[in-house]
Amino acid sequence: MKEQKTKEAMAASLLRFLCRKPLNRITVNDIIQDCGTSRMTFYYHFTDIYDLAKWTCERETDRMIQDHASLKSWQNDFRLVLDTLRKNPEATYHIYHAVDHDTLAPYMHKVIIKLLCPILDELSDDLHISDHGKGKVAGFYSHAAVGMMEDWLRESMVVPPKAILDETAVLTKGVMRKSLENVSLANW
């Protein structure tokens, strides 16, 4: 329990620093001084600042989604993610610009797939479809959602999250179910 509190304190410290400066300018020394811990304690938990940033992002995402995504709640869950990014623009952009696309995109896909999987399970409960087939459908829609998120970030998050969700709802209405039916028919 104490280890978790130490990691949480370091994550909170990182988020405070991200509101003031880019990730590549935050040092281990900044974090340990802010938290009142030792360098050894930091390295016990994390390999470097980027490892702490990754853990912090994953923890924040888990807190937002909390494994309760469903067909009824996906818009609220996705909106919560977008709203959180938009409420913390400095931290969002400091991470977005510090982390290369090959690291950020897989993380974003992981977040979207975490939202999609329970939805796809609900939509396909009466279909004979393998986990592999559901994975293909999840991957396809994840790429679309991540692309939309990347465009939104590049465009300075000016479009309100509700507008993005309304567009997404129109674009995906009935389509995910049809994709699952097609995959079921193809025996994937």
Side-chain angles (χ1 to χ4, degrees):
M1 190 70 171
K2 183 179 179 196
E3 286 184 10
Q4 189 67 18
K5 285 185 180 189
T6 300
K7 289 172 82 169
E8 294 281 344
M10 289 182 202
S13 175
L14 177 68
L15 290 172
R16 285 191 299 275
F17 278 110
L18 281 169
C19 290
R20 297 191 308 250
K21 59 185 181 176
L23 183 60
N24 62 349
R25 292 222 174 126
I26 300 170
T27 66
V28 171
N29 202 43
D30 291 335
I31 302 297
I32 63 173
Q33 284 184 357
D34 188 49
C35 293
T37 62
S38 69
R39 184 172 285 281
M40 194 165 98
T41 300
F42 179 90
Y43 286 113
Y44 175 78
H45 296 290
F46 304 105
T47 57
D48 57 20
I49 289 292
Y50 292 92
D51 189 32
L52 170 59
K54 179 182 174 193
W55 185 86
T56 302
C57 289
E58 288 172 354
R59 183 207 61 178
E60 289 298 310
T61 302
D62 286 346
R63 281 186 179 169
M64 287 185 274
I65 298 172
Q66 296 181 5
D67 294 320
H68 70 281
S70 70
L71 195 53
K72 293 177 185 170
S73 72
W74 77 267
Q75 286 182 311
N76 288 334
D77 295 337
F78 194 41
R79 185 176 184 169
L80 185 57
V81 171
L82 297 177
D83 283 341
T84 299
L85 294 174
R86 199 169 190 217
K87 283 180 196 171
N88 303 292
E90 295 87 4
T92 298
Y93 281 114
H94 285 150
I95 289 175
Y96 179 70
H97 293 298
V99 179
D100 68 280
H101 179 79
D102 291 339
T103 301
L104 188 60
Y107 170 73
M108 292 170 73
H109 282 287
K110 184 178 170 183
V111 170
I112 299 301
I113 285 174
K114 191 170 188 175
L115 281 170
L116 281 175
C117 283
I119 295 164
L120 296 177
D121 287 342
E122 280 183 60
L123 288 171
S124 65
D125 65 349
D126 63 333
L127 299 173
H128 298 304
I129 184 169
S130 69
D131 288 341
H132 172 75
K134 281 185 202 173
K136 290 289 187 186
V137 174
F140 180 83
Y141 287 102
S142 170
H143 281 283
V146 168
M148 289 177 73
M149 284 178 67
E150 287 178 330
D151 289 348
W152 182 66
L153 288 165
R154 269 191 300 280
E155 295 164 2
S156 302
M157 301 184 288
V158 293
V159 177
K162 183 179 180 337
I164 291 171
L165 292 168
D166 290 346
E167 291 172 4
T168 304
V170 169
L171 292 169
T172 60
K173 185 176 182 178
V175 178
M176 280 192 223
R177 170 63 187 201
K178 186 63 179 164
S179 295
L180 290 163
E181 289 171 357
N182 290 341
V183 167
S184 178
L185 290 172
N187 290 318
W188 285 4

